[in-house]
Amino acid sequence: MAQPAVVEVRRSDRRRRMVSARREGDTVIVFIPGWMSDSEERRWVDEMVRRLERSEARRRSPARKGDEELKRRSVELSRRYLDGRAVPTTVRWVPPMRTRWASCTPVDGTIRISERLRDVPGWVVDYVLVHELAHLLESGHDEAFWAWVHRYPRAERAIGYLEGLSAAAGLGLVGVDDERPTDDDADPVVGAEPAAETA
């Protein structure tokens, strides 16, 4: 069972309507207007913690748990974006690769994903999986290959994320499988606007 979040409430008289929350380490910080009553504060703190946890859960990939989950996720992504046509024989995490995020051997249907990606958002791992699955349909990086890859709606965003990650870490990695594609993700912050208190 998950541990309850440590919550810190920050009131501000300058904050008129918006309630927001973000995680700082192990603590959830909830920002509320100074005019809120204690009961409204409790209600909004509970609500914002729930929203933040839902947002974080959506970002986590089930594939991080292990090779079986990684393969299960690959099959789901193939079904959703590649008409179920890409069927890998194995999909597994491997120690960090020196020049790539992932690789695929179409001849035997194996896909390898770098351990460096275990902590990136789930939608980035999904992109990498779709990219490698597309190699089971098209081995090169031609127009037909990219047409498959771009069926994944967050492909461009994930490419940018990986390029930024590589640059920030000084890794020099240029693409998913060592070729630059032809063609940001901060920690989630959730917010809401409660109705202003009336006298």
Side-chain angles (χ1 to χ4, degrees), residues 27-129:
T27 303
V28 173
I29 311 295
V30 180
F31 301 88
I32 64 171
W35 56 259
M36 275 194 178
S37 68
D38 290 344
S39 65
E40 286 177 309
E41 175 184 316
R42 283 190 299 278
R43 183 174 67 82
W44 277 102
V45 165
D46 290 345
E47 174 65 20
M48 298 313 287
V49 168
R50 261 193 311 279
R51 287 185 188 195
L52 184 62
E53 288 172 349
R54 272 195 317 264
S55 174
E56 291 171 339
R58 281 193 304 269
R59 291 167 40 93
R60 288 191 290 271
S61 170
R64 286 201 191 112
K65 295 178 183 168
D67 293 350
E68 282 306 309
E69 286 297 320
L70 198 60
K71 178 150 186 209
R72 220 179 333 273
R73 183 66 177 160
S74 296
V75 170
E76 180 183 331
L77 291 166
S78 174
R79 189 180 72 250
R80 188 179 302 170
Y81 301 111
L82 307 175
D83 301 332
R85 293 180 50 195
V87 183
T89 54
T90 63
V91 184
R92 61 190 172 92
W93 292 105
V94 296
M97 301 179 209
R98 200 169 57 88
T99 60
R100 53 182 77 180
W101 296 112
S103 65
C104 175
T105 307
V107 173
D108 63 9
T110 60
I111 294 175
R112 292 157 302 283
I113 307 295
S114 173
E115 293 272 355
R116 288 187 208 275
L117 296 177
R118 277 200 186 257
D119 294 323
V120 302
W123 55 269
V124 176
V125 175
D126 284 353
Y127 161 75
V128 172
L129 289 169

